[in-house]
Short mmCIF file of all heavy atoms in Angstrom, two decimals:
data_model
loop_
_atom_site.label_atom_id
_atom_site.label_comp_id
_atom_site.label_asym_id
_atom_site.label_seq_id
_atom_site.Cartn_x
_atom_site.Cartn_y
_atom_site.Cartn_z
N PHE A 145 1.54 -1.27 -5.93
CA PHE A 145 0.47 -2.02 -5.29
C PHE A 145 0.30 -1.59 -3.84
O PHE A 145 -0.82 -1.35 -3.37
CB PHE A 145 0.80 -3.52 -5.38
CG PHE A 145 -0.23 -4.42 -4.77
CD1 PHE A 145 -1.32 -4.85 -5.50
CD2 PHE A 145 -0.09 -4.87 -3.46
CE1 PHE A 145 -2.27 -5.70 -4.94
CE2 PHE A 145 -1.03 -5.72 -2.90
CZ PHE A 145 -2.13 -6.14 -3.64
N SER A 146 1.41 -1.47 -3.13
CA SER A 146 1.36 -1.09 -1.72
C SER A 146 0.91 0.35 -1.54
O SER A 146 0.12 0.66 -0.64
CB SER A 146 2.73 -1.29 -1.08
OG SER A 146 3.15 -2.64 -1.18
N SER A 147 1.38 1.25 -2.41
CA SER A 147 0.98 2.66 -2.33
C SER A 147 -0.51 2.81 -2.60
O SER A 147 -1.18 3.68 -2.01
CB SER A 147 1.78 3.49 -3.32
OG SER A 147 3.16 3.46 -3.01
N TYR A 148 -1.04 1.97 -3.47
CA TYR A 148 -2.49 1.96 -3.75
C TYR A 148 -3.26 1.63 -2.47
O TYR A 148 -4.23 2.33 -2.12
CB TYR A 148 -2.76 0.92 -4.83
CG TYR A 148 -4.21 0.68 -5.17
CD1 TYR A 148 -4.79 1.30 -6.28
CD2 TYR A 148 -4.99 -0.19 -4.43
CE1 TYR A 148 -6.12 1.06 -6.61
CE2 TYR A 148 -6.31 -0.43 -4.74
CZ TYR A 148 -6.88 0.19 -5.84
OH TYR A 148 -8.20 -0.05 -6.16
N ILE A 149 -2.84 0.60 -1.75
CA ILE A 149 -3.52 0.21 -0.51
C ILE A 149 -3.36 1.29 0.55
O ILE A 149 -4.31 1.60 1.29
CB ILE A 149 -2.97 -1.13 0.00
CG1 ILE A 149 -3.26 -2.24 -1.02
CG2 ILE A 149 -3.60 -1.49 1.34
CD1 ILE A 149 -2.65 -3.58 -0.65
N LEU A 150 -2.18 1.89 0.63
CA LEU A 150 -1.96 2.95 1.61
C LEU A 150 -2.84 4.16 1.34
O LEU A 150 -3.41 4.75 2.27
CB LEU A 150 -0.49 3.36 1.59
CG LEU A 150 0.52 2.32 2.08
CD1 LEU A 150 1.95 2.79 1.85
CD2 LEU A 150 0.30 1.99 3.55
N ALA A 151 -2.96 4.55 0.07
CA ALA A 151 -3.83 5.69 -0.28
C ALA A 151 -5.28 5.38 0.04
O ALA A 151 -6.02 6.23 0.55
CB ALA A 151 -3.66 6.03 -1.76
N LEU A 152 -5.72 4.14 -0.27
CA LEU A 152 -7.08 3.73 0.06
C LEU A 152 -7.28 3.75 1.57
O LEU A 152 -8.33 4.18 2.07
CB LEU A 152 -7.34 2.33 -0.50
CG LEU A 152 -8.69 1.70 -0.16
CD1 LEU A 152 -9.84 2.54 -0.72
CD2 LEU A 152 -8.77 0.27 -0.71
N GLY A 153 -6.28 3.31 2.32
CA GLY A 153 -6.38 3.31 3.78
C GLY A 153 -6.49 4.71 4.35
O GLY A 153 -7.22 4.94 5.32
N ILE A 154 -5.77 5.65 3.78
CA ILE A 154 -5.86 7.04 4.23
C ILE A 154 -7.26 7.60 3.98
O ILE A 154 -7.82 8.33 4.82
CB ILE A 154 -4.78 7.89 3.54
CG1 ILE A 154 -3.40 7.53 4.08
CG2 ILE A 154 -5.05 9.39 3.73
CD1 ILE A 154 -2.25 8.23 3.41
N LEU A 155 -7.84 7.25 2.85
CA LEU A 155 -9.22 7.69 2.57
C LEU A 155 -10.18 7.11 3.60
O LEU A 155 -11.04 7.84 4.13
CB LEU A 155 -9.62 7.26 1.16
CG LEU A 155 -11.10 7.48 0.79
CD1 LEU A 155 -11.48 8.94 0.91
CD2 LEU A 155 -11.38 6.95 -0.62
N MET A 156 -10.06 5.83 3.88
CA MET A 156 -10.95 5.20 4.85
C MET A 156 -10.74 5.78 6.24
O MET A 156 -11.69 5.94 7.01
CB MET A 156 -10.72 3.68 4.87
CG MET A 156 -11.10 2.98 3.59
SD MET A 156 -12.85 3.24 3.16
CE MET A 156 -12.94 2.37 1.60
N SER A 157 -9.50 6.13 6.55
CA SER A 157 -9.21 6.73 7.85
C SER A 157 -9.81 8.12 7.97
O SER A 157 -10.18 8.56 9.07
CB SER A 157 -7.69 6.79 8.06
OG SER A 157 -7.36 7.28 9.34
N ALA A 158 -9.93 8.81 6.83
CA ALA A 158 -10.51 10.15 6.84
C ALA A 158 -12.03 10.10 6.99
O ALA A 158 -12.64 11.09 7.41
CB ALA A 158 -10.16 10.88 5.55
N LEU A 159 -12.62 8.97 6.68
CA LEU A 159 -14.08 8.86 6.67
C LEU A 159 -14.67 8.47 8.01
O LEU A 159 -15.90 8.49 8.18
CB LEU A 159 -14.53 7.83 5.62
CG LEU A 159 -14.36 8.25 4.16
CD1 LEU A 159 -14.61 7.06 3.23
CD2 LEU A 159 -15.31 9.39 3.81
N THR A 160 -13.83 8.10 8.99
CA THR A 160 -14.36 7.60 10.25
C THR A 160 -13.54 8.10 11.42
O THR A 160 -12.38 8.53 11.25
CB THR A 160 -14.37 6.06 10.26
OG1 THR A 160 -14.87 5.57 11.51
CG2 THR A 160 -12.98 5.51 10.04
N ASN A 161 -14.14 8.06 12.60
CA ASN A 161 -13.43 8.40 13.83
C ASN A 161 -12.81 7.18 14.49
O ASN A 161 -12.03 7.32 15.43
CB ASN A 161 -14.38 9.07 14.83
CG ASN A 161 -14.88 10.41 14.35
OD1 ASN A 161 -14.29 11.01 13.46
ND2 ASN A 161 -15.97 10.88 14.94
N SER A 162 -13.17 5.99 14.01
CA SER A 162 -12.73 4.75 14.63
C SER A 162 -11.56 4.14 13.86
O SER A 162 -11.66 3.90 12.65
CB SER A 162 -13.88 3.74 14.69
OG SER A 162 -13.43 2.47 15.09
N GLN A 163 -10.47 3.89 14.55
CA GLN A 163 -9.32 3.27 13.91
C GLN A 163 -9.62 1.84 13.49
O GLN A 163 -9.16 1.38 12.43
CB GLN A 163 -8.12 3.30 14.86
CG GLN A 163 -7.67 4.70 15.25
CD GLN A 163 -6.45 4.69 16.14
OE1 GLN A 163 -5.51 3.93 15.91
NE2 GLN A 163 -6.45 5.53 17.17
N VAL A 164 -10.40 1.13 14.29
CA VAL A 164 -10.76 -0.25 13.96
C VAL A 164 -11.60 -0.29 12.69
O VAL A 164 -11.37 -1.10 11.80
CB VAL A 164 -11.51 -0.92 15.13
CG1 VAL A 164 -12.00 -2.31 14.73
CG2 VAL A 164 -10.62 -1.00 16.36
N VAL A 165 -12.58 0.61 12.62
CA VAL A 165 -13.42 0.67 11.42
C VAL A 165 -12.58 1.02 10.20
O VAL A 165 -12.77 0.46 9.12
CB VAL A 165 -14.55 1.70 11.62
CG1 VAL A 165 -15.30 1.94 10.31
CG2 VAL A 165 -15.52 1.23 12.69
N ALA A 166 -11.64 1.94 10.36
CA ALA A 166 -10.78 2.33 9.25
C ALA A 166 -9.96 1.14 8.75
O ALA A 166 -9.83 0.92 7.53
CB ALA A 166 -9.85 3.46 9.67
N ALA A 167 -9.41 0.35 9.67
CA ALA A 167 -8.61 -0.82 9.28
C ALA A 167 -9.46 -1.88 8.61
O ALA A 167 -9.10 -2.42 7.55
CB ALA A 167 -7.91 -1.40 10.51
N VAL A 168 -10.62 -2.19 9.20
CA VAL A 168 -11.47 -3.25 8.66
C VAL A 168 -12.01 -2.89 7.29
O VAL A 168 -12.00 -3.71 6.36
CB VAL A 168 -12.63 -3.56 9.64
CG1 VAL A 168 -13.64 -4.51 8.99
CG2 VAL A 168 -12.09 -4.16 10.93
N THR A 169 -12.48 -1.65 7.12
CA THR A 169 -13.03 -1.24 5.83
C THR A 169 -11.95 -1.22 4.75
O THR A 169 -12.23 -1.55 3.59
CB THR A 169 -13.69 0.14 5.93
OG1 THR A 169 -12.77 1.09 6.51
CG2 THR A 169 -14.96 0.08 6.77
N THR A 170 -10.74 -0.85 5.12
CA THR A 170 -9.64 -0.86 4.14
C THR A 170 -9.32 -2.29 3.71
O THR A 170 -9.13 -2.56 2.51
CB THR A 170 -8.38 -0.21 4.72
OG1 THR A 170 -8.68 1.12 5.15
CG2 THR A 170 -7.28 -0.15 3.67
N ILE A 171 -9.27 -3.21 4.66
CA ILE A 171 -8.99 -4.61 4.33
C ILE A 171 -10.09 -5.19 3.45
O ILE A 171 -9.81 -5.84 2.43
CB ILE A 171 -8.83 -5.44 5.62
CG1 ILE A 171 -7.58 -5.00 6.38
CG2 ILE A 171 -8.76 -6.93 5.30
CD1 ILE A 171 -7.43 -5.65 7.75
N VAL A 172 -11.35 -4.95 3.82
CA VAL A 172 -12.48 -5.49 3.06
C VAL A 172 -12.50 -4.90 1.65
O VAL A 172 -12.68 -5.61 0.65
CB VAL A 172 -13.81 -5.21 3.78
CG1 VAL A 172 -14.98 -5.58 2.89
CG2 VAL A 172 -13.86 -5.99 5.09
N ALA A 173 -12.31 -3.57 1.55
CA ALA A 173 -12.32 -2.92 0.23
C ALA A 173 -11.17 -3.42 -0.63
O ALA A 173 -11.33 -3.67 -1.83
CB ALA A 173 -12.24 -1.40 0.40
N SER A 174 -9.99 -3.60 -0.02
CA SER A 174 -8.82 -4.10 -0.77
C SER A 174 -9.06 -5.52 -1.26
O SER A 174 -8.73 -5.84 -2.41
CB SER A 174 -7.57 -4.05 0.12
OG SER A 174 -7.26 -2.72 0.50
N LEU A 175 -9.62 -6.36 -0.40
CA LEU A 175 -9.91 -7.74 -0.81
C LEU A 175 -10.94 -7.77 -1.93
O LEU A 175 -10.82 -8.56 -2.89
CB LEU A 175 -10.41 -8.55 0.39
CG LEU A 175 -9.36 -8.94 1.43
CD1 LEU A 175 -10.03 -9.61 2.62
CD2 LEU A 175 -8.33 -9.87 0.82
N ALA A 176 -11.97 -6.91 -1.84
CA ALA A 176 -12.99 -6.86 -2.88
C ALA A 176 -12.37 -6.44 -4.22
O ALA A 176 -12.65 -7.03 -5.27
CB ALA A 176 -14.10 -5.90 -2.48
N LEU A 177 -11.52 -5.41 -4.17
CA LEU A 177 -10.87 -4.93 -5.39
C LEU A 177 -9.82 -5.93 -5.89
O LEU A 177 -9.47 -5.91 -7.07
CB LEU A 177 -10.20 -3.57 -5.13
CG LEU A 177 -11.17 -2.42 -4.87
CD1 LEU A 177 -10.42 -1.21 -4.35
CD2 LEU A 177 -11.92 -2.06 -6.15
N TRP A 178 -9.35 -6.78 -5.03
CA TRP A 178 -8.38 -7.81 -5.39
C TRP A 178 -9.08 -8.99 -6.05
O TRP A 178 -8.62 -9.53 -7.06
CB TRP A 178 -7.65 -8.24 -4.13
CG TRP A 178 -6.45 -9.09 -4.34
CD1 TRP A 178 -5.34 -8.79 -5.09
CD2 TRP A 178 -6.19 -10.38 -3.77
NE1 TRP A 178 -4.42 -9.82 -5.01
CE2 TRP A 178 -4.92 -10.80 -4.21
CE3 TRP A 178 -6.92 -11.22 -2.92
CZ2 TRP A 178 -4.37 -12.03 -3.84
CZ3 TRP A 178 -6.36 -12.43 -2.55
CH2 TRP A 178 -5.11 -12.82 -3.02
N LEU A 179 -10.25 -9.39 -5.48
CA LEU A 179 -10.95 -10.58 -5.96
C LEU A 179 -11.80 -10.32 -7.20
O LEU A 179 -12.30 -11.27 -7.80
CB LEU A 179 -11.84 -11.12 -4.83
CG LEU A 179 -11.10 -11.62 -3.58
CD1 LEU A 179 -12.09 -11.99 -2.48
CD2 LEU A 179 -10.23 -12.82 -3.92
N CYS A 180 -11.97 -9.06 -7.56
CA CYS A 180 -12.74 -8.75 -8.78
C CYS A 180 -12.16 -9.42 -10.01
O CYS A 180 -12.86 -9.62 -11.01
CB CYS A 180 -12.77 -7.23 -9.01
SG CYS A 180 -13.93 -6.35 -7.96
N ASN A 181 -10.91 -9.80 -9.93
CA ASN A 181 -10.23 -10.39 -11.08
C ASN A 181 -10.78 -11.77 -11.43
O ASN A 181 -10.59 -12.25 -12.54
CB ASN A 181 -8.73 -10.52 -10.78
CG ASN A 181 -7.90 -10.77 -12.02
OD1 ASN A 181 -8.06 -10.12 -13.04
ND2 ASN A 181 -7.02 -11.75 -11.94
N TRP A 182 -11.49 -12.40 -10.48
CA TRP A 182 -12.00 -13.76 -10.72
C TRP A 182 -13.52 -13.81 -10.87
O TRP A 182 -14.13 -14.85 -10.67
CB TRP A 182 -11.57 -14.68 -9.57
CG TRP A 182 -10.11 -14.97 -9.59
CD1 TRP A 182 -9.40 -15.65 -10.54
CD2 TRP A 182 -9.15 -14.61 -8.59
NE1 TRP A 182 -8.08 -15.72 -10.22
CE2 TRP A 182 -7.88 -15.09 -9.02
CE3 TRP A 182 -9.22 -13.92 -7.39
CZ2 TRP A 182 -6.72 -14.91 -8.27
CZ3 TRP A 182 -8.06 -13.74 -6.66
CH2 TRP A 182 -6.84 -14.23 -7.11
N LEU A 183 -14.13 -12.71 -11.21
CA LEU A 183 -15.57 -12.70 -11.44
C LEU A 183 -15.91 -13.53 -12.68
O LEU A 183 -15.15 -13.54 -13.66
CB LEU A 183 -16.08 -11.27 -11.62
CG LEU A 183 -16.09 -10.41 -10.35
CD1 LEU A 183 -16.47 -8.98 -10.69
CD2 LEU A 183 -17.06 -10.98 -9.32
N PRO A 184 -17.04 -14.25 -12.67
CA PRO A 184 -17.40 -15.08 -13.82
C PRO A 184 -17.76 -14.26 -15.05
O PRO A 184 -18.27 -13.13 -14.93
CB PRO A 184 -18.62 -15.86 -13.31
CG PRO A 184 -19.20 -15.00 -12.23
CD PRO A 184 -18.03 -14.33 -11.57
N GLU A 185 -17.49 -14.82 -16.21
CA GLU A 185 -17.78 -14.13 -17.47
C GLU A 185 -19.28 -13.98 -17.72
O GLU A 185 -19.70 -13.22 -18.60
CB GLU A 185 -17.14 -14.89 -18.64
CG GLU A 185 -15.62 -14.95 -18.58
CD GLU A 185 -14.99 -13.58 -18.76
OE1 GLU A 185 -15.66 -12.66 -19.29
OE2 GLU A 185 -13.81 -13.42 -18.36
N THR A 186 -20.10 -14.72 -16.97
CA THR A 186 -21.55 -14.66 -17.16
C THR A 186 -22.12 -13.28 -16.83
O THR A 186 -23.27 -12.99 -17.17
CB THR A 186 -22.25 -15.72 -16.28
OG1 THR A 186 -21.81 -15.58 -14.92
CG2 THR A 186 -21.91 -17.13 -16.77
#
Side-chain angles (χ1 to χ4, degrees):
F145 180 86
S146 301
S147 297
Y148 175 99
I149 297 175
L150 293 173
L152 176 61
I154 289 176
L155 172 59
M156 294 302 177
S157 184
L159 289 170
T160 179
N161 294 342
S162 171
Q163 298 183 42
V164 175
V165 171
V168 171
T169 53
T170 303
I171 294 173
V172 171
S174 298
L175 287 174
L177 292 169
W178 191 57
L179 296 174
C180 282
N181 195 47
W182 289 296
L183 289 174
E185 297 293 340
T186 53

